[in-house]
């Protein structure tokens, strides 16, 4: 059974990588040919481990590309067609109804204070406006983390001030050390209405527990919006504070954590452990 599970995980990882790398989503038949299985079997494996069909996963990837391009300053129409949408209507629907003006503001008029620290997973970057933490990233080179913050808020003024965010950074480090204690930070979450509903749902998942994409969609009263939930998870700007690491595949498998599956596994193991 263990060998079969490893084979299934490898098939799904390969299919997901193929979808991520392709400009045009590969067909189910093409993914099946790569795996050496029937299309039905690949579909079943993919859905069991991710909670999504390959098509749904591809839609989430495309929605993420659209959001990233708009955040970087591209026009909505340009970004939509570059991401593979055939119409602006489809792009707006995938983005949760985000409007062109709202998408392009990109932090205009905002001042974001940023602070770096070292954590067990590597460099940690916290960014905050006057209203609360708007960015939390880790486990990457400092330059890459800062570039991610600037990509999300291209029009904001970003200033470095470790002392100003010392309490926030200390809270994050304490959470990583003892995650069952939870992480309570003032947050300034900037996203679409649907994204915010998803992020709120993630914050309600207790430490030591997990939910699938489909369970979150059902809890929001949108059971058919599984791929939109996945896209919102991918756009989470505050790792750990909005615990997208607690979202797993329908079968409980670990998938799609941008900070790396080993770190997701470590966080979940620590949260499930005895103690606090």
């Amino acid at each position: 059974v263990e060998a079969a599970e490893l084979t299934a995980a490898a098939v799904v990882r390969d299919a997901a990588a193929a979808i991520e790398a392709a400009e045009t989503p590969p067909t189910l038949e093409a993914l099946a040919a790569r795996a050496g299985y029937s299309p039905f079997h690949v579909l079943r494996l993919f859905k069991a481990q991710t909670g999504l069909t390959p098509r749904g996963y591809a839609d989430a990837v495309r929605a993420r590309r659209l959001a990233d391009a708009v955040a970087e300053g591209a026009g909505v129409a340009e970004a939509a067609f570059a991401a593979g949408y055939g119409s602006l209507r489809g792009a707006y629907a995938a983005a949760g109804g985000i409007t062109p003006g709202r998408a392009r503001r990109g932090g205009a008029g905002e001042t974001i204070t940023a602070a770096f620290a070292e954590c067990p997973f590597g460099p940690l970057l916290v960014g905050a406006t006057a209203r609360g933490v708007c960015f939390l990233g880790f486990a990457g080179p400092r330059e890459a983390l800062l570039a991610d913050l600037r990509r999300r808020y291209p029009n904001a003024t970003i200033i470095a001030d470790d002392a100003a965010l010392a309490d926030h950074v200390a809270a994050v480090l304490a959470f990583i050390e003892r995650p069952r204690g939870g992480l309570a930070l003032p947050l300034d979450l900037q996203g679409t209405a649907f994204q915010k509903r998803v992020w709120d749902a993630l914050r309600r998942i207790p430490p030591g527990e997990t939910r699938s994409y489909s369970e979150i969609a059902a809890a929001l009263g949108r059971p058919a919006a599984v791929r939109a939930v996945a896209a919102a998870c991918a756009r989470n700007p505050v790792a750990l504070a909005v615990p997208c690491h607690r979202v797993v595949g329908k079968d409980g498998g670990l998938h799609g954590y941008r900070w790396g599956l080993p770190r997701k596994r470590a966080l979940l193991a620590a949260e499930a452990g005895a103690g606090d």
Side-chain angles (χ1 to χ4, degrees):
V1 174
E2 184 176 345
E5 290 175 350
L6 289 174
T7 300
V11 168
V12 173
R13 281 197 303 271
D14 180 73
I19 293 170
E20 292 273 3
E23 291 187 12
T24 301
T27 64
L28 179 59
E29 290 72 17
L31 295 175
R34 287 173 63 95
Y37 290 113
S38 71
F40 174 78
H41 190 60
V42 170
L43 175 63
R44 184 174 63 82
L45 290 178
F46 201 96
K47 193 165 185 179
Q49 295 209 26
T50 68
L52 297 167
T53 64
R55 173 62 181 272
Y57 187 89
D59 286 345
V61 169
R62 186 171 58 171
R64 187 180 70 226
R65 288 173 179 167
L66 168 66
D68 286 345
V70 171
E72 290 171 2
V76 174
E78 174 190 354
F81 292 115
Y85 289 96
S87 69
L88 286 178
R89 178 179 296 179
Y92 288 138
I98 191 169
T99 63
R102 185 178 184 188
R104 282 197 290 260
R105 279 203 294 271
E110 297 274 9
T111 296
I112 297 176
T113 304
F116 278 106
E118 290 295 321
C119 74
F121 297 133
L124 166 78
L125 176 61
V126 177
T129 67
R131 291 179 294 277
V133 174
C134 64
F135 178 85
L136 204 168
F138 61 100
R142 291 190 173 208
E143 296 78 9
L145 293 172
L146 190 56
D148 191 4
L149 172 61
R150 286 179 170 148
R151 183 166 56 247
R152 291 172 184 269
Y153 305 100
N155 300 318
T157 298
I158 298 175
I159 59 174
D161 192 337
D162 291 350
L165 297 184
D167 289 345
H168 292 342
V169 170
V172 176
L173 294 176
F175 171 78
I176 294 174
E177 183 70 24
R178 302 168 70 88
R180 288 178 64 83
L183 177 57
L185 289 172
L187 299 179
D188 181 11
L189 295 177
Q190 302 180 34
T192 68
F194 183 79
Q195 286 173 337
K196 290 181 178 180
R197 290 186 65 202
V198 173
W199 297 337
D200 285 343
L202 299 188
R203 296 176 71 193
R204 291 193 292 271
I205 305 173
E209 297 185 18
T210 60
R211 300 287 187 275
S212 68
Y213 297 110
S214 56
E215 286 174 327
I216 293 170
L220 295 177
R222 299 275 301 277
V226 176
R227 65 176 180 266
V229 168
C233 290
R235 290 292 299 165
N236 172 24
V238 285
L240 305 178
V242 171
C244 54
H245 62 275
R246 295 176 192 155
V247 183
V248 298
K250 194 173 183 179
D251 65 342
L254 307 186
H255 307 283
Y257 193 53
R258 68 172 299 176
W259 310 108
L261 292 184
R263 298 177 185 92
K264 180 172 185 173
R265 187 176 295 108
L267 287 167
L268 291 176
E271 291 182 352
D276 304 318

